[in-house]
């Protein structure tokens, strides 16, 4: 049931393709000859023993198959690190049609099974095509081409979104006629580098803005309006040229605070050790609510806990009225924009896939009183004695946490942007929310974004 209340958010990946390896064959191009397990001379181009051997043909200006062995032609690339979304381009000519296969060999020497064929049309003049590849084999691989053609000429190859380190004793050149500007010298071309002047940053991954809504009287129901704390936040994960996670940026703004109990808001990164964090900058904390380590994470935690703010009243500017942006007709206030930047150690070898977000609220006057979404674990500092009291039906043994006896939550995240007005039960404002929550998130996934009046929402109870 973990995190089932999170609406699936689109991840807008900023990892543009980059021509990190390209080679135009010439008279200096050499080929070693390898046999099973096909992984020797990993820094060189190679031909396969028992197959046609590659040679440079000065007349055509490309490499050809000498039709030895069984006649079929195998061209091994140097070993490189293939990143997600990699592709292979081939410039060739041929007097007849052909099928070109792209496959790879893992570092263990195992030939992968996910090969793909591309039909090559007859082409008198050099023609460039993008070959079909298997997306399943990434990281350290040795790509190879396979063809049964006897009249194919290959002029150049290019692997996009890959990292190549030259081998020894080879004449492989990276960037044969296809160089690019790289201001920070991180191996990522400026035109696809989201941070072209920072060698520690290359690719940006964005999570669309999310609204986090809380009912602060857990484990009691309270008025169940879920506007005691409403925070809008967007996230950016930044990786370097090796696709290692280096930074996470959380930009948050309080939208509503309809309660007399001051709340704080923080993020636990499940599975990430506090020691993986180099620094946290931008947190709005007073210093007497959370005990922080020198790197800015909270002390005493198993997983890294990042404070965003520890007192909502210090990060908002009231417009007037008894509550902050929950009573229709009252003057509208504005929340500060809080930008928290978390830097991760390169040596931690984290990836974007390691980010497991667990946002939660806590009381400014009682740090141990935490409220998380259904199925999310409390942090090491939470008061777990609250579970199973009043309206709560949590069971830590099976992971059912922060869920009421009626199957309802005390915290919700959604891509929707509105929320219930003061003292309006949220299930009477958003009419499908109860069915969505009680189904484990399987039904009415559009409970917040569907604007159908009378069936999905009661606008009179929505701010």
């Amino acid at each position: 049931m973990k995190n089932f209340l999170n609406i699936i958010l689109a991840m807008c990946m900023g990892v543009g393709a980059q021509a990190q390896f390209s080679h135009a064959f010439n008279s200096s191009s050499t080929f070693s000859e390898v046999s099973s397990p096909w992984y020797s001379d990993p820094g060189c181009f190679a031909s396969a023993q028992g197959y046609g051997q590659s040679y440079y043909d000065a007349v055509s200006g490309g490499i050809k198959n000498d039709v030895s062995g069984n006649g079929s032609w195998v061209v091994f690339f140097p070993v490189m690190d293939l990143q997600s979304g990699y592709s292979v381009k081939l410039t060739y000519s041929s007097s007849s049609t052909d099928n070109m296969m792209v496959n790879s060999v893992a570092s263990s020497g195992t030939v992968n099974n996910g090969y793909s064929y591309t039909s090559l049309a007859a082409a008198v003049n050099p023609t460039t095509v993008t070959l079909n590849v298997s997306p399943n084999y990434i990281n350290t691989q040795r790509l190879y081409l396979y063809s049964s053609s006897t009249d194919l000429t290959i002029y150049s190859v290019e692997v996009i979104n890959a990292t190549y380190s030259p081998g020894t004793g080879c004449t492989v050149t990276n960037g044969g006629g296809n160089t690019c500007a790289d201001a920070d010298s991180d191996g990522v071309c400026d035109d696809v580098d989201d941070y072209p002047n920072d060698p520690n940053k290359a690719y940006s991954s964005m999570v669309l803005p999310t609204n986090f809504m809380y009912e602060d009287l857990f484990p009691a129901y309270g008025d169940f309006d879920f506007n005691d704390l409403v925070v809008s936040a967007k996230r950016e994960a930044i990786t370097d040229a090796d696709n290692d996670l280096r930074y996470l940026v959380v930009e948050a703004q309080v939208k509503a605070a309809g309660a007399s109990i001051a709340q704080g808001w923080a993020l636990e990164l499940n599975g990430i050790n506090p020691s993986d964090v180099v620094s946290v900058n931008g947190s709005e904390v007073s210093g007497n609510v959370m005990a922080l380590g020198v790197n800015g994470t909270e002390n005493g935690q198993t997983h890294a806990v990042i404070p965003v703010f520890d007192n909502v009243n210090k990060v908002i500017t009231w417009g007037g009225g008894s509550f902050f942006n929950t009573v229709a007709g009252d003057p509208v206030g504005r929340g500060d924009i809080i930008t928290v930047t978390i830097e991760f150690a390169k040596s931690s070898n984290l990836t974007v896939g390691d980010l497991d977000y667990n946002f939660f609220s806590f009381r400014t006057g009682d740090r141990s009183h935490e409220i998380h979404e259904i199925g999310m674990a409390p942090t090491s500092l939470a008061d777990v004695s609250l579970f199973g009291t009043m309206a709560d039906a949590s069971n830590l043994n099976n992971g059912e946490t922060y869920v009421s006896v009626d199957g309802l939550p005390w915290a919700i995240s959604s891509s929707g942007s509105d929320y219930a007005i003061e003292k309006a039960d949220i299930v009477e404002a958003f009419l499908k929310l109860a069915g969505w929550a009680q189904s484990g998130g399987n039904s009415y996934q559009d409970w917040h974004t569907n604007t159908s009046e009378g069936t999905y929402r009661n606008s009179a109870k929505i701010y």
Side-chain angles (χ1 to χ4, degrees):
M1 293 180 66
K2 183 179 180 182
N3 206 22
F4 76 78
L5 286 179
N6 278 326
I7 284 183
I8 297 174
L9 300 172
M11 287 290 287
C12 301
M13 302 299 290
V15 286
Q18 191 244 338
Q20 290 184 332
F21 177 81
S22 61
H23 182 79
F25 293 103
N26 54 67
S27 59
S28 298
S29 299
T30 57
F31 292 82
S32 58
E33 184 178 357
V34 296
S35 58
S36 180
W38 317 113
Y39 210 75
S40 58
D41 294 335
C44 310
F45 279 104
S47 297
Q49 191 176 77
Y51 293 82
Q53 300 297 294
S54 302
Y55 72 97
Y56 180 73
D57 177 58
V59 176
S60 64
I63 59 171
K64 289 180 172 289
N65 175 8
D66 74 356
V67 202
S68 60
N70 66 14
S72 296
W73 193 17
V74 177
V75 179
F76 284 102
F77 286 39
V79 170
M80 59 190 72
D81 185 46
L82 304 178
Q83 299 163 12
S84 178
Y86 81 94
S87 60
V88 177
K89 290 185 177 181
L90 175 76
T91 300
Y92 77 99
S93 66
S94 178
S95 61
S96 60
T97 59
D98 187 27
N99 287 320
M100 175 67 73
M101 181 183 81
V102 179
N103 200 6
S104 63
V105 179
S107 57
S108 62
T110 302
V111 177
N112 296 317
N113 295 320
Y115 53 82
S116 299
Y117 278 98
T118 303
S119 296
L120 301 182
V124 176
N125 298 312
T127 301
T128 300
V129 296
T130 298
L131 303 177
N132 296 324
V133 298
S134 171
N136 299 322
Y137 302 111
I138 57 174
N139 301 321
T140 304
Q141 301 281 334
R142 184 169 202 167
L143 290 168
Y144 68 87
L145 307 177
Y146 174 88
S147 170
S148 59
S149 173
T150 59
D151 63 356
L152 181 69
T153 301
I154 299 177
Y155 300 96
S156 65
V157 292
E158 182 178 6
V159 184
I160 298 170
N161 222 24
T163 302
Y164 165 71
S165 297
T168 57
C170 303
T171 56
V172 176
T173 56
N174 184 13
N178 192 9
T179 58
C180 67
D182 183 10
D184 56 13
S185 301
D186 64 353
V188 180
C189 292
D190 289 348
D191 60 346
V192 294
D193 192 332
D194 293 316
Y195 293 90
N197 297 307
D198 190 334
N200 294 318
K201 301 177 180 179
Y203 304 124
S204 171
S205 305
M206 301 292 296
V207 177
L208 297 178
T210 309
N211 252 23
F212 296 86
M213 298 171 279
Y214 298 89
E215 176 55 47
D216 69 348
L217 290 184
F218 168 82
Y221 273 140
D223 57 16
F224 220 60
D225 55 14
F226 279 78
N227 63 22
D228 298 329
L229 179 66
V230 180
V231 181
S232 177
K234 56 185 178 181
R235 288 157 268 173
E236 179 188 15
I238 303 170
T239 56
D240 61 18
D242 299 323
N243 275 342
D244 288 330
L245 178 65
R246 300 305 309 280
Y247 298 90
L248 173 65
V249 181
V250 178
E251 184 180 289
Q253 184 179 32
V254 175
K255 294 296 185 180
S260 58
I261 301 174
Q263 298 283 317
W265 197 59
L267 164 64
E268 181 180 48
L269 294 171
N270 293 326
I272 294 181
N273 195 290
S275 63
D276 292 329
V277 176
V278 174
S279 64
V280 177
N281 289 294
S283 302
E284 292 288 344
V285 292
S286 61
N288 58 4
V289 178
M290 305 175 77
L292 305 181
V294 294
N295 65 352
T297 65
E298 187 174 28
N299 289 334
Q301 297 283 10
T302 301
H303 308 293
V305 171
I306 314 299
V308 180
F309 58 85
D310 61 8
N311 187 340
V312 64
N313 294 317
K314 295 184 177 182
V315 294
I316 58 177
T317 300
W318 286 70
S322 53
F323 295 106
F324 179 76
N325 295 352
T326 63
V327 178
D330 277 1
V332 177
R334 178 174 176 81
D336 299 341
I337 295 177
I338 305 163
T339 302
V340 178
T341 301
I342 304 107
E343 180 182 358
F344 299 98
K346 171 74 173 175
S347 58
S348 295
N349 296 318
L350 298 172
T351 68
V352 172
D354 292 317
L355 290 173
D356 185 1
Y357 301 102
N358 183 7
F359 287 99
F360 65 96
S361 70
F362 58 91
R363 292 185 179 179
T364 302
D366 181 2
R367 166 61 191 86
S368 67
H369 188 282
E370 297 181 358
I371 304 176
H372 298 247
E373 295 180 63
I374 286 182
M376 299 305 290
T379 77
S380 301
L381 300 183
D383 180 3
V384 296
S385 69
L386 296 174
F387 290 137
T389 64
M390 299 185 183
D392 181 70
S394 296
N395 185 337
L396 279 172
N397 294 326
N398 61 12
E400 294 183 357
T401 54
Y402 298 97
V403 59
S404 78
V405 291
D406 298 307
L408 298 174
W410 277 272
I412 302 171
S413 67
S414 167
S415 59
S417 59
D418 47 15
Y419 49 89
I421 61 174
E422 190 63 36
K423 304 300 181 183
D425 191 319
I426 193 171
V427 299
E428 296 177 1
F430 299 97
L431 307 179
K432 301 300 184 184
L433 183 143
W436 168 71
Q438 291 164 345
S439 72
N442 295 316
S443 301
Y444 306 114
Q445 294 183 2
D446 59 346
W447 69 269
H448 200 185
T449 55
N450 191 314
T451 58
S452 299
E453 186 69 23
T455 54
Y456 270 79
R457 56 175 52 207
N458 178 358
S459 296
K461 296 188 175 185
I462 297 175
Y463 188 85

